[in-house]
Amino acid sequence: MSAVYAVRTGRTRGPALVLSILITGALIVVTRLLGLQGALWLFPVIIFVFYLAPPFLALTLTTAALGYFVFQSWISPGSIFESTEQMAAVFATGIASGVFSYFFALRANRQHDRLMRWATRDPLTGLYNRRSLEDELKIAIAL
């Protein structure tokens, strides 16, 4: 449904947020059902969520999933992890993956912003260039 909305409207931010939240929820459900085999899906989910969502939201979703793993292991030992060491290893690698992904996403966003600025502004005057003018004209004509 989100993908259809994104394709039809060209708006991707909302569907990306919905998909990020859904995939994190699915991770929790799969982990509840499958235990460790489900928990190992944490790592592809981290990559997926950081690719789609803003860095802070992606970090929050990653932390929520890891928090669920620890909480579930605390109230029901053996339901996900066979030992405390196994839980600590998955938790530590999940935290490391989340933190590295967070900083990578921040850097990628900064580079994107810089490239957009270079593509839409004149380097000498700092004024918007023809490329920006075309976008503004499309908006003005549509109004």
Side-chain angles (χ1 to χ4, degrees):
M1 184 70 120
S2 292
V4 172
Y5 174 80
V7 168
R8 287 190 176 196
T9 64
R11 296 179 182 167
T12 57
R13 187 167 179 86
L17 296 176
V18 169
L19 285 174
S20 297
I21 293 167
L22 286 176
I23 197 79
T24 304
L27 169 68
I28 291 171
V29 170
V30 167
T31 301
R32 178 88 169 124
L33 296 173
L34 299 178
L36 181 60
Q37 289 81 13
L40 293 178
W41 279 98
L42 170 69
F43 304 104
V45 167
I46 288 173
I47 293 168
F48 182 80
V49 168
F50 273 96
Y51 183 74
L52 291 178
F56 184 74
L57 176 63
L59 189 62
T60 302
L61 291 172
T62 299
T63 304
L66 286 169
Y68 168 76
F69 293 171
V70 171
F71 178 74
Q72 183 63 31
S73 296
W74 180 61
I75 63 169
S76 181
S79 62
I80 300 176
F81 305 106
E82 295 173 6
S83 67
T84 306
E85 292 81 13
Q86 192 179 53
M87 179 186 72
V90 170
F91 186 78
T93 55
I95 289 290
S97 298
V99 168
F100 291 142
S101 296
Y102 176 76
F103 287 113
F104 179 76
L106 284 179
R107 184 173 179 181
N109 285 349
R110 268 190 250 121
Q111 288 175 341
H112 177 266
D113 292 343
R114 185 179 305 146
L115 287 172
M116 288 302 294
R117 211 173 32 254
W118 287 348
T120 58
R121 293 194 178 253
D122 179 71
L124 182 61
T125 63
L127 299 174
Y128 287 112
N129 62 17
R130 185 183 60 87
R131 194 172 287 124
S132 295
L133 178 65
E134 288 174 358
D135 292 337
E136 293 298 322
L137 283 174
K138 288 177 187 175
I139 293 171
I141 290 170
L143 292 174

mmCIF file of all heavy atoms in Angstrom, residues 13 16-21 23-25 27 42-67 94-95 97-106 109:
data_model
loop_
_atom_site.group_PDB
_atom_site.id
_atom_site.type_symbol
_atom_site.label_atom_id
_atom_site.label_comp_id
_atom_site.label_asym_id
_atom_site.label_seq_id
_atom_site.Cartn_x
_atom_site.Cartn_y
_atom_site.Cartn_z
ATOM 1 N N ARG A 13 8.605 10.051 1.591
ATOM 2 C CA ARG A 13 8.964 10.163 3.019
ATOM 3 C C ARG A 13 7.971 9.445 3.925
ATOM 4 O O ARG A 13 8.366 8.670 4.788
ATOM 5 C CB ARG A 13 9.080 11.623 3.411
ATOM 6 C CG ARG A 13 9.613 11.816 4.802
ATOM 7 C CD ARG A 13 10.013 13.274 5.013
ATOM 8 N NE ARG A 13 10.509 13.496 6.332
ATOM 9 C CZ ARG A 13 11.771 13.319 6.701
ATOM 10 N NH1 ARG A 13 12.642 12.902 5.828
ATOM 11 N NH2 ARG A 13 12.161 13.559 7.927
ATOM 12 N N ALA A 16 8.098 5.650 3.496
ATOM 13 C CA ALA A 16 9.354 5.147 4.047
ATOM 14 C C ALA A 16 9.275 5.027 5.562
ATOM 15 O O ALA A 16 9.747 4.045 6.143
ATOM 16 C CB ALA A 16 10.511 6.053 3.643
ATOM 17 N N LEU A 17 8.653 6.018 6.198
ATOM 18 C CA LEU A 17 8.494 5.957 7.656
ATOM 19 C C LEU A 17 7.588 4.802 8.062
ATOM 20 O O LEU A 17 7.888 4.063 9.000
ATOM 21 C CB LEU A 17 7.931 7.280 8.179
ATOM 22 C CG LEU A 17 8.811 8.509 7.980
ATOM 23 C CD1 LEU A 17 8.092 9.762 8.465
ATOM 24 C CD2 LEU A 17 10.127 8.346 8.684
ATOM 25 N N VAL A 18 6.484 4.636 7.325
ATOM 26 C CA VAL A 18 5.554 3.540 7.618
ATOM 27 C C VAL A 18 6.251 2.195 7.453
ATOM 28 O O VAL A 18 6.140 1.318 8.317
ATOM 29 C CB VAL A 18 4.299 3.633 6.714
ATOM 30 C CG1 VAL A 18 3.460 2.379 6.810
ATOM 31 C CG2 VAL A 18 3.474 4.859 7.079
ATOM 32 N N LEU A 19 6.976 2.021 6.356
ATOM 33 C CA LEU A 19 7.677 0.761 6.127
ATOM 34 C C LEU A 19 8.745 0.502 7.189
ATOM 35 O O LEU A 19 8.934 -0.634 7.615
ATOM 36 C CB LEU A 19 8.305 0.741 4.737
ATOM 37 C CG LEU A 19 7.341 0.521 3.582
ATOM 38 C CD1 LEU A 19 8.065 0.660 2.245
ATOM 39 C CD2 LEU A 19 6.688 -0.843 3.679
ATOM 40 N N SER A 20 9.438 1.542 7.620
ATOM 41 C CA SER A 20 10.453 1.379 8.660
ATOM 42 C C SER A 20 9.838 0.891 9.964
ATOM 43 O O SER A 20 10.364 -0.016 10.617
ATOM 44 C CB SER A 20 11.187 2.697 8.897
ATOM 45 O OG SER A 20 11.874 3.089 7.744
ATOM 46 N N ILE A 21 8.716 1.489 10.335
ATOM 47 C CA ILE A 21 8.039 1.079 11.564
ATOM 48 C C ILE A 21 7.475 -0.336 11.426
ATOM 49 O O ILE A 21 7.607 -1.162 12.334
ATOM 50 C CB ILE A 21 6.949 2.101 11.934
ATOM 51 C CG1 ILE A 21 7.594 3.432 12.325
ATOM 52 C CG2 ILE A 21 6.061 1.569 13.055
ATOM 53 C CD1 ILE A 21 6.647 4.601 12.412
ATOM 54 N N ILE A 23 8.527 -2.802 9.425
ATOM 55 C CA ILE A 23 9.579 -3.818 9.364
ATOM 56 C C ILE A 23 10.191 -4.047 10.745
ATOM 57 O O ILE A 23 10.541 -5.173 11.094
ATOM 58 C CB ILE A 23 10.648 -3.474 8.302
ATOM 59 C CG1 ILE A 23 11.481 -4.694 7.950
ATOM 60 C CG2 ILE A 23 11.567 -2.389 8.751
ATOM 61 C CD1 ILE A 23 10.832 -5.636 7.028
ATOM 62 N N THR A 24 10.279 -2.998 11.555
ATOM 63 C CA THR A 24 10.783 -3.175 12.917
ATOM 64 C C THR A 24 9.775 -3.961 13.746
ATOM 65 O O THR A 24 10.156 -4.848 14.522
ATOM 66 C CB THR A 24 11.083 -1.813 13.572
ATOM 67 O OG1 THR A 24 12.006 -1.098 12.737
ATOM 68 C CG2 THR A 24 11.677 -1.985 14.950
ATOM 69 N N GLY A 25 8.492 -3.665 13.582
ATOM 70 C CA GLY A 25 7.456 -4.445 14.270
ATOM 71 C C GLY A 25 7.466 -5.900 13.834
ATOM 72 O O GLY A 25 7.309 -6.818 14.647
ATOM 73 N N LEU A 27 10.057 -7.530 12.789
ATOM 74 C CA LEU A 27 11.233 -8.131 13.426
ATOM 75 C C LEU A 27 10.896 -8.620 14.830
ATOM 76 O O LEU A 27 11.255 -9.731 15.220
ATOM 77 C CB LEU A 27 12.388 -7.129 13.474
ATOM 78 C CG LEU A 27 13.587 -7.533 14.339
ATOM 79 C CD1 LEU A 27 14.311 -8.722 13.718
ATOM 80 C CD2 LEU A 27 14.521 -6.364 14.519
ATOM 81 N N LEU A 42 17.775 -8.824 12.813
ATOM 82 C CA LEU A 42 18.036 -7.454 13.281
ATOM 83 C C LEU A 42 18.974 -6.707 12.343
ATOM 84 O O LEU A 42 18.749 -5.537 12.032
ATOM 85 C CB LEU A 42 18.641 -7.492 14.694
ATOM 86 C CG LEU A 42 19.183 -6.167 15.230
ATOM 87 C CD1 LEU A 42 18.021 -5.213 15.504
ATOM 88 C CD2 LEU A 42 20.012 -6.393 16.466
ATOM 89 N N PHE A 43 20.003 -7.374 11.871
ATOM 90 C CA PHE A 43 21.042 -6.687 11.106
ATOM 91 C C PHE A 43 20.559 -6.221 9.729
ATOM 92 O O PHE A 43 20.802 -5.063 9.366
ATOM 93 C CB PHE A 43 22.302 -7.558 11.057
ATOM 94 C CG PHE A 43 22.761 -7.897 12.445
ATOM 95 C CD1 PHE A 43 22.540 -9.159 12.980
ATOM 96 C CD2 PHE A 43 23.347 -6.934 13.252
ATOM 97 C CE1 PHE A 43 22.922 -9.449 14.276
ATOM 98 C CE2 PHE A 43 23.728 -7.213 14.557
ATOM 99 C CZ PHE A 43 23.519 -8.479 15.068
ATOM 100 N N PRO A 44 19.848 -7.035 8.951
ATOM 101 C CA PRO A 44 19.280 -6.479 7.708
ATOM 102 C C PRO A 44 18.235 -5.399 7.974
ATOM 103 O O PRO A 44 18.121 -4.439 7.206
ATOM 104 C CB PRO A 44 18.639 -7.688 7.017
ATOM 105 C CG PRO A 44 19.189 -8.890 7.670
ATOM 106 C CD PRO A 44 19.670 -8.485 9.016
ATOM 107 N N VAL A 45 17.491 -5.537 9.074
ATOM 108 C CA VAL A 45 16.489 -4.525 9.409
ATOM 109 C C VAL A 45 17.163 -3.196 9.721
ATOM 110 O O VAL A 45 16.684 -2.134 9.308
ATOM 111 C CB VAL A 45 15.578 -5.000 10.572
ATOM 112 C CG1 VAL A 45 14.760 -3.855 11.142
ATOM 113 C CG2 VAL A 45 14.678 -6.125 10.092
ATOM 114 N N ILE A 46 18.289 -3.233 10.428
ATOM 115 C CA ILE A 46 19.022 -1.998 10.727
ATOM 116 C C ILE A 46 19.399 -1.295 9.424
ATOM 117 O O ILE A 46 19.178 -0.088 9.260
ATOM 118 C CB ILE A 46 20.281 -2.286 11.574
ATOM 119 C CG1 ILE A 46 19.888 -2.648 13.000
ATOM 120 C CG2 ILE A 46 21.230 -1.085 11.575
ATOM 121 C CD1 ILE A 46 21.044 -3.103 13.867
ATOM 122 N N ILE A 47 19.946 -2.039 8.488
ATOM 123 C CA ILE A 47 20.348 -1.444 7.210
ATOM 124 C C ILE A 47 19.133 -0.865 6.485
ATOM 125 O O ILE A 47 19.163 0.265 5.990
ATOM 126 C CB ILE A 47 21.068 -2.486 6.336
ATOM 127 C CG1 ILE A 47 22.399 -2.865 6.988
ATOM 128 C CG2 ILE A 47 21.292 -1.957 4.921
ATOM 129 C CD1 ILE A 47 23.053 -4.081 6.380
ATOM 130 N N PHE A 48 18.058 -1.629 6.425
ATOM 131 C CA PHE A 48 16.839 -1.193 5.742
ATOM 132 C C PHE A 48 16.285 0.085 6.359
ATOM 133 O O PHE A 48 15.964 1.048 5.662
ATOM 134 C CB PHE A 48 15.804 -2.323 5.814
ATOM 135 C CG PHE A 48 14.517 -2.021 5.111
ATOM 136 C CD1 PHE A 48 14.414 -2.159 3.737
ATOM 137 C CD2 PHE A 48 13.404 -1.604 5.821
ATOM 138 C CE1 PHE A 48 13.223 -1.885 3.082
ATOM 139 C CE2 PHE A 48 12.211 -1.325 5.175
ATOM 140 C CZ PHE A 48 12.124 -1.473 3.806
ATOM 141 N N VAL A 49 16.187 0.109 7.680
ATOM 142 C CA VAL A 49 15.588 1.254 8.377
ATOM 143 C C VAL A 49 16.457 2.500 8.221
ATOM 144 O O VAL A 49 15.946 3.590 7.983
ATOM 145 C CB VAL A 49 15.334 0.899 9.866
ATOM 146 C CG1 VAL A 49 14.993 2.121 10.678
ATOM 147 C CG2 VAL A 49 14.220 -0.134 9.967
ATOM 148 N N PHE A 50 17.769 2.348 8.322
ATOM 149 C CA PHE A 50 18.634 3.516 8.160
ATOM 150 C C PHE A 50 18.657 4.003 6.723
ATOM 151 O O PHE A 50 18.940 5.162 6.466
ATOM 152 C CB PHE A 50 20.059 3.229 8.647
ATOM 153 C CG PHE A 50 20.234 3.494 10.114
ATOM 154 C CD1 PHE A 50 20.130 2.471 11.029
ATOM 155 C CD2 PHE A 50 20.464 4.774 10.569
ATOM 156 C CE1 PHE A 50 20.271 2.713 12.376
ATOM 157 C CE2 PHE A 50 20.603 5.039 11.922
ATOM 158 C CZ PHE A 50 20.512 3.996 12.834
ATOM 159 N N TYR A 51 18.360 3.142 5.792
ATOM 160 C CA TYR A 51 18.287 3.549 4.389
ATOM 161 C C TYR A 51 17.037 4.384 4.129
ATOM 162 O O TYR A 51 17.064 5.322 3.348
ATOM 163 C CB TYR A 51 18.302 2.309 3.492
ATOM 164 C CG TYR A 51 18.291 2.623 2.027
ATOM 165 C CD1 TYR A 51 19.424 3.105 1.385
ATOM 166 C CD2 TYR A 51 17.143 2.449 1.268
ATOM 167 C CE1 TYR A 51 19.423 3.403 0.031
ATOM 168 C CE2 TYR A 51 17.125 2.739 -0.086
ATOM 169 C CZ TYR A 51 18.266 3.206 -0.695
ATOM 170 O OH TYR A 51 18.258 3.501 -2.026
ATOM 171 N N LEU A 52 15.938 4.062 4.808
ATOM 172 C CA LEU A 52 14.659 4.714 4.541
ATOM 173 C C LEU A 52 14.319 5.872 5.472
ATOM 174 O O LEU A 52 13.774 6.879 5.037
ATOM 175 C CB LEU A 52 13.526 3.688 4.617
ATOM 176 C CG LEU A 52 13.471 2.645 3.515
ATOM 177 C CD1 LEU A 52 12.331 1.687 3.765
ATOM 178 C CD2 LEU A 52 13.316 3.308 2.170
ATOM 179 N N ALA A 53 14.574 5.712 6.736
ATOM 180 C CA ALA A 53 14.100 6.674 7.739
ATOM 181 C C ALA A 53 15.184 7.703 8.069
ATOM 182 O O ALA A 53 16.373 7.458 7.839
ATOM 183 C CB ALA A 53 13.680 5.933 9.007
ATOM 184 N N PRO A 54 14.771 8.835 8.619
ATOM 185 C CA PRO A 54 15.762 9.796 9.121
ATOM 186 C C PRO A 54 16.617 9.135 10.200
ATOM 187 O O PRO A 54 16.137 8.255 10.926
ATOM 188 C CB PRO A 54 14.912 10.925 9.709
ATOM 189 C CG PRO A 54 13.572 10.771 9.080
ATOM 190 C CD PRO A 54 13.395 9.329 8.782
ATOM 191 N N PRO A 55 17.870 9.532 10.319
ATOM 192 C CA PRO A 55 18.789 8.846 11.229
ATOM 193 C C PRO A 55 18.292 8.719 12.668
ATOM 194 O O PRO A 55 18.418 7.650 13.270
ATOM 195 C CB PRO A 55 20.056 9.700 11.168
ATOM 196 C CG PRO A 55 20.007 10.344 9.833
ATOM 197 C CD PRO A 55 18.557 10.572 9.545
ATOM 198 N N PHE A 56 17.713 9.768 13.227
ATOM 199 C CA PHE A 56 17.281 9.679 14.626
ATOM 200 C C PHE A 56 16.148 8.673 14.798
ATOM 201 O O PHE A 56 16.137 7.898 15.759
ATOM 202 C CB PHE A 56 16.868 11.054 15.164
ATOM 203 C CG PHE A 56 16.517 11.015 16.627
ATOM 204 C CD1 PHE A 56 17.511 10.903 17.576
ATOM 205 C CD2 PHE A 56 15.194 11.067 17.033
ATOM 206 C CE1 PHE A 56 17.192 10.839 18.936
ATOM 207 C CE2 PHE A 56 14.867 11.011 18.378
ATOM 208 C CZ PHE A 56 15.867 10.906 19.330
ATOM 209 N N LEU A 57 15.179 8.672 13.880
ATOM 210 C CA LEU A 57 14.087 7.701 13.960
ATOM 211 C C LEU A 57 14.615 6.282 13.783
ATOM 212 O O LEU A 57 14.204 5.362 14.501
ATOM 213 C CB LEU A 57 13.018 7.996 12.908
ATOM 214 C CG LEU A 57 11.874 6.970 12.854
ATOM 215 C CD1 LEU A 57 11.097 6.942 14.164
ATOM 216 C CD2 LEU A 57 10.959 7.253 11.690
ATOM 217 N N ALA A 58 15.531 6.091 12.851
ATOM 218 C CA ALA A 58 16.109 4.761 12.633
ATOM 219 C C ALA A 58 16.848 4.283 13.878
ATOM 220 O O ALA A 58 16.727 3.116 14.264
ATOM 221 C CB ALA A 58 17.046 4.791 11.433
ATOM 222 N N LEU A 59 17.577 5.185 14.526
ATOM 223 C CA LEU A 59 18.275 4.818 15.760
ATOM 224 C C LEU A 59 17.272 4.471 16.854
ATOM 225 O O LEU A 59 17.473 3.522 17.621
ATOM 226 C CB LEU A 59 19.198 5.951 16.205
ATOM 227 C CG LEU A 59 20.144 5.647 17.348
ATOM 228 C CD1 LEU A 59 21.104 4.530 16.962
ATOM 229 C CD2 LEU A 59 20.915 6.893 17.732
ATOM 230 N N THR A 60 16.174 5.205 16.923
ATOM 231 C CA THR A 60 15.124 4.925 17.902
ATOM 232 C C THR A 60 14.496 3.552 17.652
ATOM 233 O O THR A 60 14.280 2.778 18.590
ATOM 234 C CB THR A 60 14.044 6.025 17.855
ATOM 235 O OG1 THR A 60 14.663 7.283 18.099
ATOM 236 C CG2 THR A 60 12.960 5.782 18.880
ATOM 237 N N LEU A 61 14.203 3.233 16.392
ATOM 238 C CA LEU A 61 13.615 1.936 16.067
ATOM 239 C C LEU A 61 14.583 0.796 16.380
ATOM 240 O O LEU A 61 14.176 -0.252 16.902
ATOM 241 C CB LEU A 61 13.195 1.896 14.598
ATOM 242 C CG LEU A 61 12.017 2.791 14.222
ATOM 243 C CD1 LEU A 61 11.828 2.822 12.713
ATOM 244 C CD2 LEU A 61 10.742 2.331 14.911
ATOM 245 N N THR A 62 15.857 0.987 16.077
ATOM 246 C CA THR A 62 16.867 -0.026 16.389
ATOM 247 C C THR A 62 16.956 -0.242 17.892
ATOM 248 O O THR A 62 16.992 -1.381 18.374
ATOM 249 C CB THR A 62 18.238 0.402 15.826
ATOM 250 O OG1 THR A 62 18.134 0.534 14.416
ATOM 251 C CG2 THR A 62 19.317 -0.592 16.172
ATOM 252 N N THR A 63 16.960 0.839 18.648
ATOM 253 C CA THR A 63 17.018 0.748 20.105
ATOM 254 C C THR A 63 15.773 0.060 20.662
ATOM 255 O O THR A 63 15.865 -0.732 21.598
ATOM 256 C CB THR A 63 17.173 2.151 20.721
ATOM 257 O OG1 THR A 63 18.333 2.769 20.151
ATOM 258 C CG2 THR A 63 17.300 2.106 22.216
ATOM 259 N N ALA A 64 14.611 0.341 20.071
ATOM 260 C CA ALA A 64 13.374 -0.311 20.518
ATOM 261 C C ALA A 64 13.439 -1.820 20.300
ATOM 262 O O ALA A 64 13.039 -2.603 21.176
ATOM 263 C CB ALA A 64 12.173 0.280 19.785
ATOM 264 N N ALA A 65 13.940 -2.244 19.150
ATOM 265 C CA ALA A 65 14.057 -3.680 18.875
ATOM 266 C C ALA A 65 15.032 -4.333 19.843
ATOM 267 O O ALA A 65 14.742 -5.400 20.413
ATOM 268 C CB ALA A 65 14.495 -3.911 17.435
ATOM 269 N N LEU A 66 16.176 -3.707 20.062
ATOM 270 C CA LEU A 66 17.146 -4.259 21.011
ATOM 271 C C LEU A 66 16.585 -4.274 22.428
ATOM 272 O O LEU A 66 16.800 -5.220 23.187
ATOM 273 C CB LEU A 66 18.446 -3.460 20.960
ATOM 274 C CG LEU A 66 19.312 -3.689 19.732
ATOM 275 C CD1 LEU A 66 20.425 -2.658 19.665
ATOM 276 C CD2 LEU A 66 19.876 -5.094 19.735
ATOM 277 N N GLY A 67 15.854 -3.225 22.782
ATOM 278 C CA GLY A 67 15.209 -3.181 24.097
ATOM 279 C C GLY A 67 14.219 -4.312 24.273
ATOM 280 O O GLY A 67 14.129 -4.929 25.340
ATOM 281 N N GLY A 94 24.466 -5.336 17.731
ATOM 282 C CA GLY A 94 23.329 -4.521 17.300
ATOM 283 C C GLY A 94 23.554 -3.050 17.595
ATOM 284 O O GLY A 94 23.278 -2.187 16.758
ATOM 285 N N ILE A 95 24.064 -2.764 18.796
ATOM 286 C CA ILE A 95 24.374 -1.375 19.164
ATOM 287 C C ILE A 95 25.448 -0.822 18.239
ATOM 288 O O ILE A 95 25.327 0.301 17.722
ATOM 289 C CB ILE A 95 24.821 -1.280 20.645
ATOM 290 C CG1 ILE A 95 23.644 -1.510 21.577
ATOM 291 C CG2 ILE A 95 25.498 0.050 20.946
ATOM 292 C CD1 ILE A 95 22.623 -0.386 21.587
ATOM 293 N N SER A 97 26.267 -1.782 15.207
ATOM 294 C CA SER A 97 25.706 -1.614 13.861
ATOM 295 C C SER A 97 24.813 -0.377 13.792
ATOM 296 O O SER A 97 24.854 0.380 12.827
ATOM 297 C CB SER A 97 24.901 -2.846 13.455
ATOM 298 O OG SER A 97 25.715 -3.976 13.407
ATOM 299 N N GLY A 98 23.998 -0.175 14.820
ATOM 300 C CA GLY A 98 23.114 0.980 14.860
ATOM 301 C C GLY A 98 23.876 2.291 14.927
ATOM 302 O O GLY A 98 23.557 3.251 14.215
ATOM 303 N N VAL A 99 24.899 2.355 15.768
ATOM 304 C CA VAL A 99 25.682 3.587 15.914
ATOM 305 C C VAL A 99 26.443 3.894 14.628
ATOM 306 O O VAL A 99 26.448 5.037 14.145
ATOM 307 C CB VAL A 99 26.633 3.486 17.131
ATOM 308 C CG1 VAL A 99 27.654 4.614 17.138
ATOM 309 C CG2 VAL A 99 25.831 3.484 18.426
ATOM 310 N N PHE A 100 27.088 2.882 14.050
ATOM 311 C CA PHE A 100 27.813 3.111 12.797
ATOM 312 C C PHE A 100 26.854 3.540 11.689
ATOM 313 O O PHE A 100 27.147 4.451 10.915
ATOM 314 C CB PHE A 100 28.584 1.864 12.367
ATOM 315 C CG PHE A 100 29.753 1.536 13.255
ATOM 316 C CD1 PHE A 100 30.057 0.219 13.546
ATOM 317 C CD2 PHE A 100 30.544 2.527 13.801
ATOM 318 C CE1 PHE A 100 31.131 -0.090 14.369
ATOM 319 C CE2 PHE A 100 31.623 2.233 14.629
ATOM 320 C CZ PHE A 100 31.914 0.906 14.912
ATOM 321 N N SER A 101 25.704 2.891 11.620
ATOM 322 C CA SER A 101 24.710 3.250 10.599
ATOM 323 C C SER A 101 24.197 4.666 10.813
ATOM 324 O O SER A 101 23.955 5.401 9.858
ATOM 325 C CB SER A 101 23.543 2.261 10.616
ATOM 326 O OG SER A 101 23.985 0.977 10.272
ATOM 327 N N TYR A 102 24.020 5.059 12.077
ATOM 328 C CA TYR A 102 23.552 6.402 12.405
ATOM 329 C C TYR A 102 24.528 7.457 11.870
ATOM 330 O O TYR A 102 24.133 8.400 11.189
ATOM 331 C CB TYR A 102 23.390 6.540 13.915
ATOM 332 C CG TYR A 102 23.005 7.920 14.367
ATOM 333 C CD1 TYR A 102 21.701 8.383 14.204
ATOM 334 C CD2 TYR A 102 23.931 8.770 14.953
ATOM 335 C CE1 TYR A 102 21.333 9.656 14.622
ATOM 336 C CE2 TYR A 102 23.575 10.036 15.372
ATOM 337 C CZ TYR A 102 22.276 10.475 15.204
ATOM 338 O OH TYR A 102 21.927 11.730 15.606
ATOM 339 N N PHE A 103 25.814 7.281 12.164
ATOM 340 C CA PHE A 103 26.789 8.263 11.722
ATOM 341 C C PHE A 103 26.976 8.238 10.201
ATOM 342 O O PHE A 103 27.172 9.277 9.571
ATOM 343 C CB PHE A 103 28.123 8.091 12.450
ATOM 344 C CG PHE A 103 28.049 8.554 13.868
ATOM 345 C CD1 PHE A 103 28.157 7.663 14.921
ATOM 346 C CD2 PHE A 103 27.826 9.890 14.165
ATOM 347 C CE1 PHE A 103 28.073 8.092 16.231
ATOM 348 C CE2 PHE A 103 27.725 10.338 15.480
ATOM 349 C CZ PHE A 103 27.851 9.430 16.511
ATOM 350 N N PHE A 104 26.879 7.068 9.602
ATOM 351 C CA PHE A 104 26.941 6.972 8.149
ATOM 352 C C PHE A 104 25.759 7.707 7.520
ATOM 353 O O PHE A 104 25.917 8.438 6.540
ATOM 354 C CB PHE A 104 26.961 5.513 7.706
ATOM 355 C CG PHE A 104 27.002 5.354 6.223
ATOM 356 C CD1 PHE A 104 28.176 5.561 5.520
ATOM 357 C CD2 PHE A 104 25.865 5.021 5.511
ATOM 358 C CE1 PHE A 104 28.225 5.425 4.137
ATOM 359 C CE2 PHE A 104 25.889 4.887 4.134
ATOM 360 C CZ PHE A 104 27.077 5.084 3.445
ATOM 361 N N ALA A 105 24.555 7.523 8.088
ATOM 362 C CA ALA A 105 23.362 8.190 7.561
ATOM 363 C C ALA A 105 23.464 9.704 7.716
ATOM 364 O O ALA A 105 23.075 10.450 6.808
ATOM 365 C CB ALA A 105 22.114 7.661 8.256
ATOM 366 N N LEU A 106 23.970 10.165 8.858
ATOM 367 C CA LEU A 106 24.163 11.610 9.036
ATOM 368 C C LEU A 106 25.113 12.168 7.979
ATOM 369 O O LEU A 106 24.855 13.218 7.383
ATOM 370 C CB LEU A 106 24.717 11.912 10.431
ATOM 371 C CG LEU A 106 23.756 11.845 11.592
ATOM 372 C CD1 LEU A 106 24.493 12.150 12.898
ATOM 373 C CD2 LEU A 106 22.596 12.806 11.416
ATOM 374 N N ASN A 109 23.426 12.256 4.570
ATOM 375 C CA ASN A 109 22.466 13.363 4.492
ATOM 376 C C ASN A 109 23.179 14.698 4.286
ATOM 377 O O ASN A 109 22.729 15.536 3.506
ATOM 378 C CB ASN A 109 21.599 13.415 5.738
ATOM 379 C CG ASN A 109 20.556 12.335 5.761
ATOM 380 O OD1 ASN A 109 20.317 11.651 4.768
ATOM 381 N ND2 ASN A 109 19.934 12.139 6.906
#
